[in-house]
């Protein structure tokens, strides 16, 4: 029944930057509560634990879990067990198995589970998918290079085991590539660079192919200063396709293709409302599987230690 009474858990950067404005702009949802150990949302009921929130506000229908991935399973398990629909931030969990477990539990409890991939809803992604469906692809080059000090200042969880390191942004590229390519790809070789003082990689070089040996090369790097690069370039029988700005801009043979306005998180909440209304779940683990494969197959190289403050090194 509409509106869906929604609660948010883990009030940090992404909750404030994207979830709160998108929820406010969607009439299908009413934000009724938040659970966060330190954060809070104005004008609604706030709690420090998810259990206290469910006890005090039994009318909650659905929750958005916005904490880092290593801490999401327990909250998701409690929410689904309590009969709530669940929106998982990306990546959906710290392991493939825990997300599969949640998927089975959601099915058993008859609630919707949404493993969200926000980059798939960037404005030019669907146009890129349509173009690639109409041509023969000879190669794909993913370049995802950004400055971790700018985008993730002092976020220690991201460097811990399960925090994914450079795959935290890189998985966004993988979520787009697995959506727009007409065939499945799989990893052939990889090199991961780990700072000597961290448990997660700062750079990754990935070589995938599909069954026809079409190369898909990924370069992820967190040490990029100056211009930031989030590009997917495909050489095709119809010319060169460049999907840039994280999926927001598309050119084909240098000519701009019109894109939808930037809608990532508003589109995610529209999708969440749809799957709740249809009684389905949306859990595609392909991007996370490629990250797991990279950790499984990748050669590890130890590189210089990383410090949030460059002077500290
Ligand atoms: P964040 O601000 O560091 O963390 C979000 C909140 O999670 C924190 O404010 C904290 O709230 C809670 N939290 C942190 N550690 C926790 C723990 N050990 N147990 C329980 N809760 C904990 O991170 P973020 O940047 O918002 O990212 C969160 C998720 O969103 C990640 O999976 C990330 O990949 C994804 N995401 C982030 C961005 C971005 O631009 N930052 C973009 C897209 C997606 P309390 O201390 O109040 O509990």
């Amino acid at each position: 029944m509409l509106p869906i009474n929604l609660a948010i858990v883990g009030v940090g950067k992404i909750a404030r930057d994207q979830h709160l404005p998108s929820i406010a702009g969607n009439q299908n949802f009413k934000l009724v509560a938040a659970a966060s150990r330190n954060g809070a949302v104005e004008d609604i009921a706030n709690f420090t634990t998810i259990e206290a929130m469910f006890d005090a506000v039994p009318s909650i229908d659905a929750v958005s879990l916005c904490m880092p991935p290593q801490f999401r399973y327990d909250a998701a398990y409690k929410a689904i067990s309590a009969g709530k629909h669940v929106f998982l931030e990306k990546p959906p969990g710290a392991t493939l198995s825990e997300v599969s477990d949640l998927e089975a539990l959601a099915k058993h409890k008859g609630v919707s589970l949404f493993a969200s991939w926000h980059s798939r809803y960037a404005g030019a992604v669907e146009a890129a998918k349509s173009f690639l469906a109409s041509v023969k692809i000879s190669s794909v080059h993913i370049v995802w290079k950004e400055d971790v000090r700018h985008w993730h200042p002092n976020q220690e969880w991201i460097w811990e085991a399960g925090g994914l390191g450079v795959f935290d942004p890189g998985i966004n590229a993988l979520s787009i590539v697995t959506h727009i390519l007409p065939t499945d790809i799989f990893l052939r070789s990889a090199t991961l660079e780990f700072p000597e003082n961290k448990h997660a990689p700062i750079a990754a070089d990935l070589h995938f192919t599909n069954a026809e040996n079409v190369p898909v090369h990924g370069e992820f790097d967190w040490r990029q200063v100056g211009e930031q690069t989030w590009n997917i370039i495909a050489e095709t029988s119809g010319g060169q396709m460049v999907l840039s700005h994280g999926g927001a801009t598309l050119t084909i043979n240098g000519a701009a293709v019109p894109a939808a306005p930037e809608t990532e998180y508003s589109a995610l909440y529209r999708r969440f409302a749809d799957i709740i209304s249809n009684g389905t779940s949306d859990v595609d683990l392909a991007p996370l599987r490629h990250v797991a494969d990279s950790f499984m197959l990748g050669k590890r190289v130890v590189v210089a230690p990383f410090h949030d403050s460059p002077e500290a090194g």
Side-chain angles (χ1 to χ4, degrees):
M1 201 162 46
L2 295 175
I4 298 157
N5 286 332
L6 183 71
I8 202 155
V9 185
V11 180
K13 186 172 189 317
I14 197 60
R16 291 187 187 292
D17 288 357
Q18 298 290 346
H19 288 258
L20 295 178
S22 299
I23 295 162
N26 189 320
Q27 293 183 341
N28 290 326
F29 292 99
K30 181 178 179 206
L31 189 64
V32 294
S36 211
R37 299 163 311 168
N38 304 291
V41 179
E42 282 176 16
D43 301 327
I44 57 168
N46 285 277
F47 302 88
T48 51
T49 68
I50 193 167
E51 294 91 337
M53 180 175 76
F54 288 159
D55 283 348
V57 192
S59 63
I60 292 168
D61 302 307
V63 293
S64 289
L65 303 183
C66 302
M67 69 283 275
Q70 301 101 316
F71 318 112
R72 213 172 285 136
Y73 174 84
D74 288 344
Y77 181 87
K78 283 171 191 155
I80 297 170
S81 300
K84 319 292 184 192
H85 308 290
V86 171
F87 177 132
L88 301 170
E89 247 303 342
K90 54 70 42 172
T95 69
L96 289 161
S97 303
E98 70 182 32
V99 187
S100 297
D101 189 62
L102 295 175
E103 195 178 7
L105 183 66
K107 192 170 180 190
H108 175 67
K109 296 291 287 184
V111 298
S112 296
L113 180 66
F114 185 26
S116 70
W117 298 111
H118 65 87
S119 292
R120 284 187 176 171
Y121 295 84
V125 168
E126 287 309 314
K129 184 180 171 85
S130 300
F131 172 72
L132 292 178
S134 69
V135 293
K136 187 167 165 42
I137 303 168
S138 46
S139 68
V140 178
H141 189 194
I142 309 162
V143 187
W144 227 252
K145 295 187 175 181
E146 61 176 53
D147 181 355
V148 65
R149 290 191 176 94
H150 177 79
W151 298 105
H152 299 283
N154 304 309
Q155 284 188 326
E156 262 315 301
W157 61 265
I158 216 158
W159 292 108
E160 296 294 339
L164 299 194
V166 76
F167 287 98
D168 177 80
I171 202 168
N172 297 334
L174 295 172
S175 75
I176 296 175
V177 165
T178 50
H179 181 66
I180 64 176
L181 290 184
T183 59
D184 285 346
I185 57 169
F186 44 93
L187 196 67
R188 298 285 197 165
S189 67
T191 304
L192 311 184
E193 295 183 34
F194 284 73
E196 69 177 33
N197 59 339
K198 299 292 182 192
H199 295 294
I202 195 164
D205 191 61
L206 311 169
H207 290 274
F208 302 86
T209 72
N210 65 0
E212 280 82 45
N213 276 321
V214 171
V216 177
H217 178 203
E219 292 180 79
F220 301 164
D221 204 316
W222 248 351
R223 296 164 297 198
Q224 175 99 337
V225 289
E227 192 183 346
Q228 307 287 281
T229 315
W230 300 286
N231 290 346
I232 298 168
I233 301 150
E235 305 298 338
T236 79
S237 57
Q240 187 184 61
M241 182 204 86
V242 180
L243 181 61
S244 50
H245 302 101
T249 313
L250 180 67
T251 62
I252 294 170
N253 291 319
V257 175
E262 190 77 28
T263 61
E264 294 185 18
Y265 277 78
S266 335
L268 287 179
Y269 274 96
R270 285 197 295 277
R271 175 75 181 142
F272 190 35
D274 282 349
I275 65 170
I276 291 172
S277 138
N278 299 337
T280 55
S281 285
D282 179 348
V283 182
D284 176 11
L285 291 178
L288 190 61
R289 198 165 56 234
H290 287 310
V291 174
D293 285 356
S294 303
F295 279 91
M296 197 151 61
L297 192 66
K299 289 181 188 155
R300 287 164 192 246
V301 177
V302 177
V303 297
F306 175 85
H307 301 281
D308 264 298
S309 159
E311 296 78 43

